[in-house]
Amino acid sequence: MTFRESKPEGPPPQSERDHFIRCTICGKLLDVRDLGDVLAHLHGEEIEEEPTAH
């Protein structure tokens, strides 16, 4: 999985359901506004970090 720290891309959410993604492994819906829930749901996958500019 790759996570990037940036401003959201695309138009702002139009409804509550726009804040949810479906896990590609188990199908559970995750609220992307809850970082703790997203991080707890990685199924043992490592998070790939992009290099930061210094």
Side-chain angles (χ1 to χ4, degrees), residues 1-4 46-52:
M1 293 186 166
T2 301
F3 291 93
R4 290 186 300 169
E46 294 290 324
I47 298 174
E48 295 178 26
E49 295 183 33
E50 294 184 0
T52 56

Side-chain angles (χ1 to χ4, degrees), residues 2-16:
T2 301
F3 291 93
R4 290 186 300 169
E5 184 177 326
S6 64
K7 292 183 179 181
E9 295 179 7
Q14 299 297 312
S15 70
E16 181 68 13

Side-chain angles (χ1 to χ4, degrees), residues 7 15 18 21 24 26-29 32 35 38 42 45 47 53:
K7 292 183 179 181
S15 70
D18 291 340
I21 59 170
T24 58
C26 72
K28 177 183 176 185
L29 281 176
V32 296
L35 181 58
V38 173
L42 292 177
E45 296 286 323
I47 298 174

Side-chain angles (χ1 to χ4, degrees), residues 32-43:
V32 296
R33 298 169 293 183
D34 185 348
L35 181 58
D37 190 32
V38 173
L39 292 176
H41 195 84
L42 292 177
H43 294 283

